[in-house]
């Protein structure tokens, strides 16, 4: 029997506790559910996580030869790109979630779900240790151990605070549905508090100052959503304080949305300036207290300034979950930020474990080696140089193969890379050739930046689909270990490696305007892209129920505006 296990991570309190205490010993008497107990003919696949990666794996798995056990502290899938809309009530929280049991119910594969967090992976004995995340009186029965034949780790990432003092205590995050609901309540709360008669003018200004740390897509989208909420709805309800509202976006780099095309960055910065959203670039947050944010102004020689605020959102990228860090040290990856996998999404150093989504990345070192190999292959005459045409073909080949490089190359940083390449002697002299050593030097310069690429739902979902397809064929392949004729001789794996297809990305900028960067470097900004955004996000919902609810919410908002009740 074969079992597939998927593990997911949630933002609930108990998970946070468990993650904060990874060393806590689990009860040795915790029951072990063996695959044989479930069905002794099937292999057990355990899936950790019900996010983009875990859910897309589950939805695409069709092979009834597996027994699937999904484990996640959250019993639903959440459509994260619409979380900023939930913060301001443009869309309701329940419209963007789908119960995982609803998804599992429609499968022909045996699926079992447990609402619990994985606390430890024991890869040697093929077991995972879990604990229910619900406060209950189960007298120790909330802990259990599950064994697996295959483990799929799809637990996403947590927020990266860079250990900045005061962030966890004072800032909001926007990762989970609960976070979005909390932000919505806090925004209204700020307006109500600022409207109290005894509050001084200065204190009102502070309370109505909304600070957003991080100028990436989430921070920018939240700033835009908040601006719309304030100007379209709240100003009518709180006329006495409307002129005191301020929104500030703090970004340590030189520009906001720096992973997008330069035209989009410029448009967003100009639009925010017109809208009165204060964009402070070169501003690095070093400490947050209950009422003030301390920033180091990188453009002013590191001068520290303080910003009084009423509500702060921290949105500066993703970090590693503690139990994943523990697992990484078990498999010799202790010095990495996320789990390294090979191109078939298997965790390096661990045979039966796969990792997909935000918690994993394809090993960069191998990528660089492969890129050099692609170059050598293109260098047919072994001269160590490529013509510009050959060079372009190499870039296309690389783009097709590697998600992280592709996003990188298609983004603004691609231009930086091309600039770097242009600085190399052969190209700058006008020669049509590029030296392999110069090419490698340029690539190594961008290597460190590539590691910091944002993790996206698009990559996570495609990895889930890819892995499900592998599992759908795994049994056939085991019966025919030589694999399809065309792959014989490569000796690496029986499936094609994972290839990412970049379908473009959106940046909603408020006022019914969206920036879209589509494949082929096609950029569209404005109202037409907003309609494209509406249609793409409607079609990407995981059920017809979600589609209907989301569209209804948008229509409701157009007719009656957003609801400002603080519930
Ligand atoms: P997640 O979707 O985060 O899922 C992780 C799962 O693991 C969850 O179910 C969680 O409960 C579970 N889990 C956590 N801990 C444990 C544990 N200990 N044991 C078991 N299970 C556990 N990407 C885009 O491509 N386009 C966008 O427009 C976009 N917008 C975004 C907007 C916001 C506000 C945010 C926060 C993200 C956005 N993203 C977007 C990024 C995208 O959401 C992530 O890249 C994506 O969710 C990653 O999928 P995942 O499955 O790896 O992780």
């Amino acid at each position: 029997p074969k079992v597939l296990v998927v593990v997911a991570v949630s933002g609930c309190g108990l998970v946070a506790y468990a993650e904060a205490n990874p060393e806590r010993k689990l009860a040795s008497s915790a029951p072990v559910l063996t695959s044989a107990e479930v069905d002794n003919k099937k292999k057990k696949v355990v899936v950790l996580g019900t996010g983009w990666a875990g859910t897309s794996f589950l939805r695409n798995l069709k092979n009834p030869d597996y027994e699937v056990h999904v484990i996640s502290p959250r019993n639903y899938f959440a459509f994260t790109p619409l979380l900023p809309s939930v913060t301001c009530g443009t869309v309701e929280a329940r419209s963007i979630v789908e119960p995982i049991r609803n998804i599992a119910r429609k499968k022909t594969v045996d699926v079992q779900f447990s609402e619990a967090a994985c606390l430890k992976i024991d890869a040697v004995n093929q077991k995972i240790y879990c604990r229910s995340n619900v406060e209950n009186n189960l007298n120790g029965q909330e802990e259990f151990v599950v064994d697996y034949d295959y483990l799929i780790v799809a637990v996403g990432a947590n927020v990266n605070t860079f250990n900045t003092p005061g962030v966890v205590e004072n800032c909001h995050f926007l990762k989970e549905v609960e976070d979005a609901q909390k932000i919505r309540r806090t925004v209204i709360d700020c307006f109500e508090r600022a409207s109290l008669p005894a509050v001084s003018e200065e204190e009102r200004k502070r309370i109505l100052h909304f600070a957003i740390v991080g100028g990436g897509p989430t921070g920018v989208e939240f700033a835009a959503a908040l601006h719309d909420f304030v100007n379209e709805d709240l100003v009518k309800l709180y006329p006495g304080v409307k002129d005191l509202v301020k929104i500030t976006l703090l970004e340590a780099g030189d520009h906001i949305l720096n992973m997008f095309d330069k035209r989009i960055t410029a448009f967003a910065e100009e639009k925010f300036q017109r809208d009165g959203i204060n964009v402070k670039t070169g501003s690095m947050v070093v400490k947050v207290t209950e009422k003030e944010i301390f920033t180091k102004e990188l453009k002013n020689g590191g001068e520290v300034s303080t910003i009084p605020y009423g509500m702060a959102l921290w949105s500066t990228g993703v970090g590693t979950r503690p139990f994943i860090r523990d697992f990484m040290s078990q498999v010799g990856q202790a010095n990495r930020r996320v789990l390294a996998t090979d191109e078939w999404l298997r965790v390096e150093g661990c045979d039966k474990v796969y990792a997909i989504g935000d918690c994993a990345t394809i090993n960069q070192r191998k990528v660089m080696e492969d890129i050099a190999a692609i170059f050598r292959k293109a260098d047919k005459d072994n001269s160590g140089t490529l013509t510009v045409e050959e060079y372009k073909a190499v870039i296309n080949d690389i783009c097709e193969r590697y998600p992280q490089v592709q996003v990188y190359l298609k983004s603004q940083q691609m231009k930086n890379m091309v600039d770097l390449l242009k600085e190399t002697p052969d190209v700058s002299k006008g020669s049509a050739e590029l030296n392999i050593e110069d090419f490698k030097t340029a690539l190594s310069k961008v290597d460190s930046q590539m590691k910091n690429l944002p993790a996206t739902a698009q990559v996570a979902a495609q990895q889930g689909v890819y892995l499900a397809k592998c599992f759908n064929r795994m049994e056939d392949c085991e019966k025919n270990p030589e694999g399809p004729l065309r792959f014989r001789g490569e000796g690496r794996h029986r499936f094609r490696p994972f290839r990412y297809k970049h379908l473009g990305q959106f940046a909603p900028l408020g006022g019914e305007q969206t920036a879209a960067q589509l494949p082929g470097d096609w950029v569209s900004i404005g109202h037409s892209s907003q309609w494209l955004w509406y249609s793409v996000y409607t079609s990407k919902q995981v059920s017809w129920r979600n589609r209907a609810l989301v569209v209804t919410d948008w229509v409701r908002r157009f007719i009656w505006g957003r609801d400002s009740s603080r519930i």
Side-chain angles (χ1 to χ4, degrees):
K2 303 199 172 159
V3 183
L4 178 59
V5 181
V6 180
V7 181
V9 180
S10 88
C12 63
L14 196 71
V15 176
Y17 164 76
E19 292 197 340
N21 298 277
E23 299 309 320
R24 185 187 180 284
K25 293 255 183 317
L26 287 159
S28 54
S29 57
V32 180
L33 308 178
T34 63
S35 50
E37 276 171 346
V38 187
D39 181 340
N40 62 7
K41 288 198 192 69
K42 297 183 173 186
K43 279 201 178 160
K44 186 166 183 182
V45 180
V46 176
V47 181
L48 299 180
T50 48
W52 279 95
T55 304
S56 92
F57 174 83
L58 187 64
R59 292 178 74 208
N60 288 279
L61 187 72
K62 299 196 172 78
N63 191 340
D65 290 341
Y66 294 109
E67 174 77 34
V68 180
H69 191 166
V70 181
I71 299 169
S72 174
R74 166 177 116 183
N75 77 347
Y76 57 85
F77 163 81
F79 191 88
T80 48
L82 285 179
L83 281 181
S85 303
V86 173
T87 60
C88 298
T90 309
V91 168
E92 291 299 329
R94 284 191 182 269
S95 306
I96 63 160
V97 304
E98 181 69 7
I100 205 71
R101 288 177 188 276
N102 239 359
I103 295 171
R105 176 174 73 86
K106 296 172 189 153
K107 307 281 322 163
T108 48
V109 182
D110 286 341
V111 182
Q112 182 189 348
F113 173 75
S114 300
E115 194 187 64
C118 171
L119 306 181
K120 187 174 170 63
I121 299 171
D122 175 357
V124 176
N125 298 306
Q126 298 194 192
K127 289 184 193 315
I128 56 159
Y129 294 80
C130 308
R131 188 179 313 134
S132 160
N133 59 306
V134 182
E135 293 292 342
N136 51 34
N137 284 325
L138 285 174
N139 300 325
Q141 296 173 84
E142 63 273 14
E143 289 180 359
F144 57 95
V145 184
V146 178
D147 63 351
Y148 62 83
D149 295 309
Y150 298 106
L151 175 65
I152 295 170
V153 184
V155 297
N158 59 5
V159 178
N160 195 352
T161 64
F162 301 98
N163 292 326
T164 311
V167 172
V168 173
E169 298 82 358
N170 301 301
C171 293
H172 284 264
F173 301 118
L174 184 48
K175 282 285 297 169
E176 304 286 341
V177 175
E178 292 91 333
D179 298 335
Q181 289 172 308
K182 207 167 138 205
I183 291 172
R184 184 174 177 184
R185 279 194 298 273
T186 308
V187 171
I188 310 288
D189 186 40
C190 287
F191 276 83
E192 290 299 349
R193 274 191 296 146
S195 306
L196 291 174
V199 177
S200 69
E201 177 89 353
E202 199 185 334
E203 185 65 358
R204 282 184 182 155
K205 275 191 188 160
R206 182 190 68 77
I207 294 172
L208 291 175
H209 186 190
F210 299 93
I212 299 147
V213 186
T218 301
V220 166
E221 199 176 336
F222 174 67
L226 182 62
H227 175 266
D228 284 357
F229 186 28
V230 170
N231 287 283
E232 290 167 15
D233 301 288
L234 296 180
V235 288
K236 297 177 203 151
L237 306 175
Y238 301 88
V241 295
K242 68 177 169 48
D243 297 328
L244 307 178
V245 181
K246 191 172 166 191
I247 302 173
T248 300
L249 187 56
L250 299 162
E251 164 61 44
D254 290 339
H255 293 284
I256 58 170
L257 293 180
N258 59 14
M259 66 294 299
F260 279 80
D261 188 281
K262 246 186 199 154
R263 288 165 284 180
I264 293 182
T265 302
F267 181 87
E269 287 175 350
E270 277 163 31
K271 178 170 189 306
F272 277 10
Q273 198 179 6
R274 280 199 308 275
D275 288 348
I277 297 174
N278 181 19
V279 178
K280 278 186 85 178
T281 54
S283 205
M284 183 193 268
V285 174
V286 289
K287 187 168 112 183
V288 184
T289 62
E290 202 189 334
K291 295 183 177 178
E292 281 175 327
I293 294 177
F294 294 75
T295 60
K296 201 188 225 180
E297 301 307 322
L298 303 177
K299 291 175 187 160
N300 282 348
E303 183 187 301
V304 174
S305 55
T306 54
I307 304 170
Y309 75 95
M311 192 201 104
L313 173 76
W314 186 271
S315 156
T316 58
V318 293
T320 320
R321 297 193 188 273
F323 89 99
I324 292 292
R325 218 178 291 132
D326 170 63
F327 176 52
M328 283 161 75
S329 40
Q330 276 182 53
V331 295
Q333 297 189 13
N335 53 355
R336 300 187 58 93
R337 192 183 59 80
V338 283
L339 276 166
T341 69
D342 62 15
E343 287 179 74
W344 293 269
L345 311 180
R346 296 175 300 191
V347 172
E348 288 193 341
C350 208
D351 206 26
K352 302 281 181 184
V353 184
Y354 295 77
I356 51 178
D358 283 4
C359 65
T361 189
I362 295 171
N363 193 331
Q364 208 69 42
R365 176 180 44 79
K366 280 193 128 171
V367 170
M368 299 313 280
E369 281 166 14
D370 279 3
I371 286 174
I374 291 172
F375 189 101
R376 277 195 296 274
K377 206 169 148 197
D379 181 20
K380 291 188 193 84
D381 57 0
N382 245 344
S383 63
T385 58
L386 294 187
T387 64
V388 167
E389 283 314 307
E390 283 169 337
Y391 159 69
K392 279 189 196 158
V394 166
I395 293 281
N396 280 341
D397 201 357
I398 295 168
C399 283
E400 214 181 278
R401 249 174 118 97
Y402 294 108
Q404 58 277 60
V405 184
Q406 179 175 22
V407 174
Y408 185 85
L409 294 180
K410 295 287 178 201
S411 71
Q412 183 50 41
Q413 285 136 332
M414 169 62 179
K415 315 270 183 307
N416 300 343
M417 180 171 159
V418 172
D419 289 345
L420 277 173
L421 292 169
K422 278 186 190 150
E423 282 166 19
T424 61
D426 284 345
V427 178
S428 59
K429 277 187 212 138
S431 153
E433 292 185 333
L434 185 69
N435 186 288
I436 187 162
E437 286 312 317
D438 294 331
F439 181 72
K440 281 206 280 191
T441 311
L443 278 178
S444 67
K445 281 190 196 169
V446 297
D447 182 26
S448 58
Q449 294 173 47
M450 288 199 295
K451 281 181 189 144
N452 297 328
L453 275 173
T456 65
Q458 223 180 121
V459 173
Q462 288 184 27
Q463 289 183 331
V465 173
Y466 165 84
L467 203 55
K469 284 186 178 163
C470 291
F471 274 87
N472 288 342
R473 287 183 38 223
M474 192 98 87
E475 294 311 294
D476 282 350
C477 292
E478 270 175 21
K479 280 176 212 145
N480 307 293
E482 287 296 297
L485 208 55
R486 64 183 181 283
F487 299 135
R488 279 185 204 166
E490 287 188 10
R492 293 179 73 183
H493 196 275
R494 53 196 172 232
F495 302 112
R496 278 173 202 271
F498 169 70
R499 296 219 169 157
Y500 171 66
K501 197 161 191 297
H502 187 56
L503 301 172
Q505 49 194 345
F506 289 109
L509 300 171
E512 294 298 310
Q513 296 197 57
T514 286
Q517 188 171 335
L518 300 168
D521 265 349
W522 191 68
V523 167
S524 161
I525 307 172
H527 298 289
S528 53
S529 312
Q530 178 75 25
W531 286 102
L532 184 64
W533 182 87
Y534 281 131
S535 12
V536 170
Y537 280 19
T538 306
S539 70
K540 293 283 173 198
Q541 297 299 317
V542 294
S543 72
W544 282 102
R545 187 190 69 91
N546 289 130
R547 268 178 215 119
L549 289 174
V550 165
V551 172
T552 313
D553 284 348
W554 284 332
V555 173
R556 170 188 50 73
R557 201 274 293 171
F558 271 116
I559 301 173
W560 292 290
R562 301 164 186 86
D563 182 356
S564 67
S565 320
R566 188 185 167 284
I567 49 169

